[in-house]
Amino acid sequence: MMDKPKLVVIGNGMAGMRLVETLCRRLPEHYAITVIGEEPRGNYNRILLSPVLAGDKAFADTLLHDDDWYRQQGVQLLAGEPALAVERRQKRVISARYQRPYDLLVFATGSRPLRPPLPGGSLNGIYGFRTLDDVEAMLCHCQPGRPALVVGGGVLGIEAAAALAQRGMNVTVVHRGEHLMERQLDTRAGRMLQHDLLQRGIECRLNREVSQFHGTEQVSAVTLNNGEILACELVVIAIGVRPEISLAQASGLVCERGIMINDRLQTNDPAVFAIGECAQFGDTTFGLVAPCWQQAGLLAQRLSGESVAGYRPTSLHTRLKVSGVEVFSAGEMNADAQTEIYHAEDPQAQHYRRLLVRDGKLQGVVLYGDAQDSPFYLQRLGKPVQ
């Protein structure tokens, strides 16, 4: 019997494991699969970290694949064992304890939270919001009535702020933009969100940035760029992510912001692929789970021997995971001279919708307060408005 082709996946996150799970279903036991994971646990759903932080879910609810699943599928998981080098000429991946040969290699290394290089930035109590370890560390500092600060008023920052407020902390959001979630919301919807957060006791400082963290070992306060000083015993930094490409770069793969891929999801080495947040297609990198899953599904089909069309990114959409606040946004946000904008608002019910139309086609939608029509609008994106 011939040896099975060896498939090594670097990354045990949502993109890498969607690929492995789909391959195991479509073509069971065809590949000898090894998954190399940095975190010391099975694959979990990062989307649910906000509810875990809020206390609405336990970590067990987020687990997608436990150790038994890997065993049953014949997939070797090297958990808590970061890949240290990729030797493409010898076709092997090196970690601290293992050398894994491959026939095909997939980078699914995700991204890292951005950390501003500020004075005091290495004090205890300052966290990104990316992994279960981050959430568990934050929960150690969660004490009702104590001050917390969230840096960044995008989707993740708002979810972190709402979760900490639900835990009883006094939360302030510091955001450099003119209004919250400016990539997904217009000014009106951003203001409505700010009002809803204030009802939950969350204050926002807009057009502001942190210039310094204070404390001896533990963070105790920050200074903003206008000189204001805010007390805080916990800081969550949610100002964006950077694709994790250091391993790919060191192995000589072509990288810009992410690892460059073609429409077959291949890098410049035909035996090496990249999917998810570490990948870059054209000018685009990917920060949401939907395109990561789309890429994983497409690559699984290709590796199963099916002929599939080249990868084309689909329209992105965002939903805020804050209970009691309905926010949906899809397609384009910014208007130009060729754009028509339609608004509808019910101030009493705090419902708002905004449609962006160009050349008679729906190009963007924002729903605030009532998002039940979101599937309808998602299907209409890019199509003529009746």
Side-chain angles (χ1 to χ4, degrees):
M1 170 160 168
M2 286 175 61
D3 280 351
K4 294 179 185 178
K6 299 177 187 68
L7 173 67
V8 174
V9 179
I10 304 177
N12 190 34
M14 297 186 71
M17 282 309 298
R18 175 58 71 102
L19 167 70
V20 170
E21 175 190 271
T22 311
L23 265 180
C24 288
R25 203 169 52 239
R26 285 175 164 274
L27 214 59
E29 298 183 18
H30 175 78
Y31 288 101
I33 301 176
T34 302
V35 176
I36 299 177
E38 194 174 62
E39 292 185 64
R41 54 181 67 87
N43 169 238
Y44 61 91
N45 187 344
R46 259 183 235 288
I47 297 173
L48 295 176
L49 287 178
S50 302
V52 172
L53 183 59
D56 292 336
K57 287 192 182 294
F59 171 66
D61 301 326
T62 74
L63 202 61
L64 295 171
H65 303 99
D66 60 12
D67 292 345
D68 283 345
W69 184 89
Y70 294 87
R71 269 196 297 276
Q72 285 160 7
Q73 301 295 329
V75 172
Q76 181 147 36
L77 172 64
L78 309 182
E81 183 72 23
L84 302 177
V86 172
E87 296 177 345
R88 288 196 292 127
R89 196 167 288 167
Q90 292 86 357
K91 284 192 151 185
R92 63 186 180 189
V93 182
I94 313 290
S95 71
R97 291 184 298 156
Y98 302 97
Q99 294 192 9
R100 273 287 176 275
Y102 67 83
D103 297 304
L104 296 173
L105 176 64
V106 179
F107 276 86
T109 45
S111 58
R112 305 254 181 231
L114 290 172
R115 290 287 292 257
L118 294 174
S122 58
L123 289 165
N124 292 331
I126 303 173
Y127 302 101
F129 186 19
R130 181 81 192 144
T131 66
L132 180 70
D133 290 345
D134 293 332
V135 171
E136 289 183 334
M138 286 183 221
L139 290 175
C140 294
H141 295 277
C142 271
Q143 291 184 322
R146 309 306 298 173
L149 185 82
V150 175
V151 184
V155 177
L156 206 57
I158 301 300
E159 290 182 1
L164 294 173
Q166 197 169 316
R167 294 274 184 179
M169 296 196 82
N170 294 331
V171 184
T172 303
V173 175
V174 173
H175 185 53
R176 67 193 296 184
E178 303 265 324
H179 64 266
L180 299 172
M181 283 178 60
E182 72 273 13
R183 287 188 185 174
Q184 293 86 12
L185 303 179
D186 65 344
T187 306
R188 179 77 191 106
R191 296 258 163 79
M192 292 172 83
L193 177 57
Q194 188 179 345
H195 172 79
D196 276 349
L197 293 180
L198 195 56
Q199 305 295 101
R200 294 161 183 245
I202 300 168
E203 296 210 9
C204 295
R205 300 285 193 279
L206 300 176
N207 296 306
R208 293 284 174 265
E209 294 184 56
V210 172
S211 53
Q212 187 170 358
F213 297 100
H214 304 282
T216 40
E217 286 180 15
Q218 172 76 25
V219 69
S220 59
V222 298
T223 300
L224 303 186
N225 57 349
N226 64 340
E228 185 182 4
I229 295 175
L230 296 173
C232 55
E233 294 173 12
L234 167 63
V235 175
V236 180
I237 302 208
I239 57 170
V241 294
R242 179 182 290 118
E244 178 43 74
I245 60 172
S246 52
L247 194 64
Q249 273 178 318
S251 74
L253 293 173
V254 175
C255 297
E256 287 181 10
R257 186 161 183 266
I259 305 166
M260 297 302 294
I261 55 170
N262 61 19
D263 69 352
R264 300 170 67 81
L265 305 164
Q266 266 167 329
T267 66
N268 57 302
D269 179 335
V272 182
F273 301 82
I275 56 174
E277 293 184 324
C278 66
Q280 180 175 335
F281 180 71
D283 295 330
T284 309
T285 52
F286 308 91
L288 295 171
V289 78
C292 299
W293 279 351
Q294 183 196 358
Q295 292 168 11
L298 208 58
L299 185 55
Q301 285 177 276
R302 180 155 278 141
L303 296 183
S304 303
E306 292 182 33
S307 63
V308 281
Y311 170 63
R312 285 284 168 271
T314 53
S315 287
L316 299 181
H317 67 278
T318 304
R319 253 178 217 289
L320 194 64
K321 286 176 295 301
V322 173
S323 53
V325 180
E326 281 281 306
V327 178
F328 174 84
S329 168
E332 294 179 39
M333 187 59 245
N334 298 319
D336 57 24
Q338 279 72 51
T339 313
E340 301 163 67
I341 291 183
Y342 299 92
H343 301 269
E345 186 171 358
D346 179 347
Q348 207 64 42
Q350 284 286 291
H351 292 173
Y352 171 77
R353 64 186 54 194
R354 171 192 191 259
L355 305 181
L356 192 145
V357 176
R358 188 185 304 108
D359 300 328
K361 293 177 181 170
L362 181 65
Q363 300 293 353
V365 57
V366 172
L367 304 177
Y368 192 95
D370 175 10
Q372 18 184 24
D373 292 343
S374 55
F376 168 79
Y377 285 112
L378 204 50
Q379 286 177 331
R380 303 301 310 164
L381 272 183
K383 295 179 182 166
V385 178
Q386 300 301 323

